[in-house]
């Protein structure tokens, strides 16, 4: 069974700084996909970025990047130059590569950006 | 682009009542999901469906039924509403590949009186 753990319940940082959110996972699959999602105050959930387990390069999209440490089963989300609108709950999720399988989510980290 | 529409946005029922939540997607995605989100918690999978008329149980399927009669729609029934299952129910869809992300609806908030 897959398991995703986010130990940081809430993080508060100043605007324009860099923040890292942690995520560790457990899986028996040799190939898998890791995702980060953002849930805004309105409840909307949007996809941010994905890491494929077979890729060594860390994924980057805009001011989001990932710190993928496969030996540690860790996939951290890094947000640089944070903005007020980055305040949200961030979920880490994973899915095995064996087909259209379930996506397993962590419990989320609330990020608060202070002006 | 496409959209996922969940109805109703707010659902109020009595304890013991049978309640149905509906979800429609126009992405033409193969796979659809129902997740439950309790306040301050993550998303837990109730049911998913990889194609029309297919149903797969998630981690939280007890007390729920699901139906996928058309590719574009996926409904969830709470068989006997309980006060401890007040939560937001999120529908999502994705293409068939594991590499593809999920697209979420805006949710149905369930209140049980």
């Amino acid at each position: 069974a897959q398991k995703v753990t986010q130990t940081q319940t809430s993080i508060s940082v100043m605007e324009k700084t860099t923040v890292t959110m942690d995520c560790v996972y457990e899986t028996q699959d040799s190939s898998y996909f890791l995702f980060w999602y953002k849930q805004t105050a309105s409840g909307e959930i949007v996809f941010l970025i994905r890491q494929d387990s077979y890729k060594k390069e860390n994924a980057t999209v805009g001011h989001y990047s990932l710190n993928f440490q496969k030996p540690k089963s860790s996939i951290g989300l890094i947000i640089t130059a944070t903005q007020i609108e980055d305040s949200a709950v961030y979920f880490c999720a994973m899915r095995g590569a064996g087909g259209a399988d379930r996506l397993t989510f962590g419990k989320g980290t609330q990020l608060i950006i202070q002006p | 682009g496409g959209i996922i529409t969940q109805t109703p946005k707010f659902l109020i029922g009595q304890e013991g009542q049978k309640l149905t939540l509906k979800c429609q997607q126009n992405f033409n995605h193969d796979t659809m999901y129902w997740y439950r989100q309790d306040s301050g918690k993550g998303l837990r999978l109730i049911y998913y469906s990889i194609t029309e008329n297919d149903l797969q149980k998630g981690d939280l399927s007890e007390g729920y039924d699901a139906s996928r009669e058309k590719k574009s729609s996926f409904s969830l029934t709470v068989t006997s509403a309980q006060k401890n299952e007040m939560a937001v129910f999120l529908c999502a869809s994705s293409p068939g590949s594991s590499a593809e992300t999920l697209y979420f609806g805006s949710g149905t908030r369930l209140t049980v009186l």
Side-chain angles (χ1 to χ4, degrees):
Chain A
Q2 296 173 345
K3 185 177 179 181
V4 177
T5 303
Q6 295 178 255
T7 56
Q8 300 157 306
T9 305
S10 181
I11 301 174
S12 180
V13 300
M14 299 302 291
E15 191 179 11
K16 300 178 185 173
T17 61
T18 294
V19 64
T20 299
M21 283 174 272
D22 301 328
C23 176
V24 293
Y25 57 90
E26 296 174 27
T27 183
Q28 303 298 319
D29 291 326
S30 57
S31 185
Y32 47 89
F33 301 95
L34 301 160
F35 303 82
W36 278 90
Y37 290 83
K38 172 183 177 181
Q39 185 174 36
T40 62
S42 67
E44 182 187 16
I45 298 177
V46 295
F47 163 70
L48 295 178
I49 191 169
R50 184 188 92 213
Q51 179 75 39
D52 301 345
S53 64
Y54 56 86
K55 291 187 177 178
K56 292 185 178 179
E57 312 80 44
N58 289 319
T60 298
V61 175
H63 75 145
Y64 302 108
S65 61
L66 297 177
N67 179 18
F68 180 41
Q69 299 183 56
K70 195 170 183 180
K72 294 184 178 180
S73 297
S74 170
I75 183 74
L77 173 68
I78 303 166
I79 307 177
T80 57
T82 51
Q83 304 160 14
I84 298 295
E85 50 267 33
D86 291 324
S87 296
V89 178
Y90 290 80
F91 291 100
C92 177
M94 75 172 302
R95 190 189 217 170
D101 206 350
R102 61 183 66 192
L103 194 65
T104 301
F105 284 82
K107 293 188 176 182
T109 296
Q110 178 160 32
L111 177 63
I112 300 165
I113 307 297
Q114 299 196 16
Chain B
I3 191 168
I4 295 180
T5 303
Q6 290 188 239
T7 55
K9 288 191 184 301
F10 301 93
L11 181 57
I12 300 174
Q14 299 291 328
E15 200 166 19
Q17 191 176 359
K18 183 177 179 179
L19 302 166
T20 298
L21 293 70
K22 295 185 182 295
C23 178
Q24 296 268 347
Q25 54 100 358
N26 63 1
F27 288 101
N28 199 34
H29 285 165
D30 291 317
T31 308
M32 296 186 74
Y33 304 80
W34 277 106
Y35 282 90
R36 171 177 157 173
Q37 185 176 28
D38 293 275
S39 180
K41 296 186 180 178
L43 282 69
R44 292 184 288 174
L45 183 64
I46 305 172
Y47 267 99
Y48 67 105
S49 167
I50 62 174
T51 189
E52 188 177 322
N53 293 319
D54 174 74
L55 291 175
Q56 308 280 343
K57 290 184 177 181
D59 301 318
L60 211 62
S61 60
E62 191 167 334
Y64 301 95
D65 287 329
S67 174
R68 181 104 182 263
E69 294 176 350
K70 294 190 301 183
K71 186 176 183 179
S72 62
S73 67
F74 194 30
S75 63
L76 180 73
T77 298
V78 181
T79 55
S80 177
Q82 304 298 315
K83 288 194 176 182
N84 64 0
E85 66 190 332
M86 292 195 292
V88 174
F89 291 80
L90 291 157
C91 177
S93 72
S94 76
S97 164
S98 299
E100 296 289 342
T101 183
L102 270 59
Y103 296 82
F104 283 86
S106 56
T108 293
R109 182 174 293 276
L110 174 64
T111 301
V112 182
L113 302 176

